[in-house]
């Protein structure tokens, strides 16, 4: 009798284990599908479906999916930006052991998460203003493959630019979204302002190739103007070279300082080769060299 009972218990345990394994496999499959929708791997990009899949998994306590939900909400990637709810999901993911979430929480201002974060359907937004804290893993994936990365690697040498720097700028400017548009009317992959587009002969800033070429021309000019100082060039790309000159370096604007720091997370070099024939050095650099 005892043997039969033990056999019954073992059989029940086996069923439970198999069910748990099946559930885990199903969750992994759903997470992989969500990533494919998010990145456009082997299928058209669909951020709405990716978010919905991540949400379903996050409600079940899936730590990696919770982090992705937090990322979508914090950055406004395909959904209405909601930093408060994004922080809640980062905290939930961190509690579930997700290392990326723990690193993210260290970058963000301290806060007190709500005990039960909300994950609901969101309307997609095609032109969400980029508010991007670099996701280095996703950056590596997008920079390694895809039409934008291929175009950058083809075009960057023509402007004597390191493709890695250009890709880092694109990541922080637009998160690789060709139709991105900021409230200030900066447009496209490299977020060209209307006056910058005119300055560098870009007829349609939403044309990916034209946008890339205009952005690279500007970046090449800035590197020559600041004689290879990457941080000054990036600050000028964000705030304008005039602001950098007036302030004698990176302007004391929170947005610009954060921008330089974020690009630096993806492209850590402070120096870049430059073509002195493009333009004469800025007064700021000339003064510093005399000192």
């Amino acid at each position: 009798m005892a043997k039969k009972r033990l056999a019954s218990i073992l059989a029940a345990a086996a069923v439970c284990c198999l069910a748990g394994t099946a559930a885990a496999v199903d969750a992994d499959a759903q997470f992989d599908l969500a990533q494919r929708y998010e990145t456009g791997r082997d299928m058209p990009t669909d951020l709405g479906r990716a978010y919905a899949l991540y949400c379903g998994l996050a409600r079940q306590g899936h730590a990696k999916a919770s982090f992705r939900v937090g990322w979508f909400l914090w950055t406004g990637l395909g959904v209405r930006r909601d930093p408060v709810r994004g922080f809640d999901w980062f905290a939930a993911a961190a509690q579930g052991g997700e290392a990326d979430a723990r690193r993210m929480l260290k970058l963000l201002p301290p806060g007190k998460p709500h005990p039960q974060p909300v994950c609901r359907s969101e309307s997609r937004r095609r032109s969400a203003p980029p508010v991007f804290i670099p996701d280095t893993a996703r950056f590596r994936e997008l920079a390694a493959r895809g039409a934008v990365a291929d175009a950058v690697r083809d075009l960057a040498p023509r402007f004597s630019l390191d493709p890695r720097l250009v890709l880092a700028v694109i990541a922080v400017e637009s998160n690789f979204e060709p139709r991105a548009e900021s409230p200030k009317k900066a447009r496209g992959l490299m977020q060209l302002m209307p006056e910058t587009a005119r300055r560098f002969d870009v007829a349609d800033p939403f044309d990916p190739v034209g946008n890339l070429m205009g952005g690279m021309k500007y970046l090449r000019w800035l590197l020559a103007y600041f004689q290879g100082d990457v941080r000054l060039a990036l600050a000028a790309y964000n705030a304008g070279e005039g602001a950098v000159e007036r302030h004698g370096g990176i302007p004391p604007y929170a947005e610009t300082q954060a921008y330089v720091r974020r690009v630096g997370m993806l492209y850590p070099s402070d120096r870049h080769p430059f073509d002195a024939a493009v333009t004469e050095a800025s007064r700021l650099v000339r003064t510093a060299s005399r000192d």
Side-chain angles (χ1 to χ4, degrees):
M1 189 73 178
K3 289 183 178 180
K4 288 184 179 180
R5 186 175 180 184
L6 178 58
S8 177
I9 292 172
L10 290 174
V15 170
C16 289
C17 290
L18 288 172
T21 302
V25 170
D26 184 58
D28 289 343
Q30 288 186 58
F31 185 79
D32 180 68
L33 180 60
Q35 286 190 307
R36 290 163 64 193
Y37 276 128
E38 180 183 356
T39 62
R41 174 164 49 93
D42 304 323
M43 62 173 60
T45 301
D46 191 325
L47 296 177
R49 289 185 179 180
Y51 180 79
L53 285 165
Y54 286 139
C55 271
L57 292 169
R59 293 191 196 102
Q60 300 170 36
H62 194 290
K64 288 185 180 296
S66 297
F67 174 76
R68 295 313 308 163
V69 170
W71 188 264
F72 272 57
L73 291 168
W74 181 267
T75 63
L77 179 62
V79 299
R80 297 185 188 90
R81 186 168 186 256
D82 191 334
V84 174
R85 286 168 58 211
F87 182 91
D88 289 347
W89 282 109
F90 286 146
Q95 188 174 6
E98 179 57 28
D100 286 341
R102 290 172 180 165
R103 286 192 288 269
M104 180 60 67
L105 290 176
K106 290 180 181 179
L107 293 173
L108 303 181
K112 185 177 181 180
H114 296 88
Q116 293 182 323
V118 177
C119 189
R120 59 175 178 265
S121 298
E122 303 280 345
S123 61
R124 294 179 62 188
R125 220 172 39 166
R126 295 181 62 188
S127 301
V131 183
F132 185 53
I133 300 173
D135 177 345
T136 53
R138 184 168 189 269
F139 170 74
R140 285 195 298 269
E141 181 174 358
L142 290 173
R145 58 178 296 280
V148 172
D150 289 344
V152 168
R153 279 189 285 272
D154 178 55
L155 293 170
R158 305 183 194 183
F159 299 96
S160 302
L161 294 174
D162 185 341
R164 295 172 300 173
L165 174 59
V166 179
L167 288 167
V169 169
I170 292 170
V172 177
E173 286 287 353
S174 67
N175 205 14
F176 291 85
E177 293 289 343
R179 302 294 300 180
E181 181 173 4
S182 79
K184 296 180 181 178
K185 301 301 180 184
R187 293 168 177 162
L189 288 166
M190 298 191 74
Q191 289 290 277
L192 302 181
M193 294 292 289
E195 56 270 26
T196 305
R198 288 192 295 270
R199 178 179 172 185
F200 292 100
D201 302 318
V202 179
D204 179 6
F206 288 127
D207 169 47
V209 174
N211 186 285
L212 289 173
M213 292 182 69
M216 289 187 205
K217 287 178 184 177
Y218 188 30
L219 197 53
R220 176 182 62 177
W221 188 93
L222 290 171
L223 286 166
Y225 190 60
F226 292 109
Q227 297 205 317
D229 189 313
V230 172
R231 288 168 57 81
L232 292 182
L234 291 173
Y237 194 95
N238 178 263
E241 58 266 26
V244 174
E245 291 275 12
R246 286 194 305 274
H247 291 282
I250 299 174
Y253 310 149
E255 176 189 338
T256 301
Q257 292 179 351
Y259 176 83
V260 173
R261 185 171 63 253
R262 291 167 185 172
V263 177
M265 292 172 65
L266 302 177
Y267 186 81
S269 177
D270 289 339
R271 300 294 305 174
H272 187 289
F274 65 95
D275 184 353
V278 172
T279 186
E280 66 178 10
S282 72
R283 178 175 51 82
L284 174 63
V285 173
R286 292 198 306 270
T287 302
S289 64
R290 286 197 298 269
D291 296 341

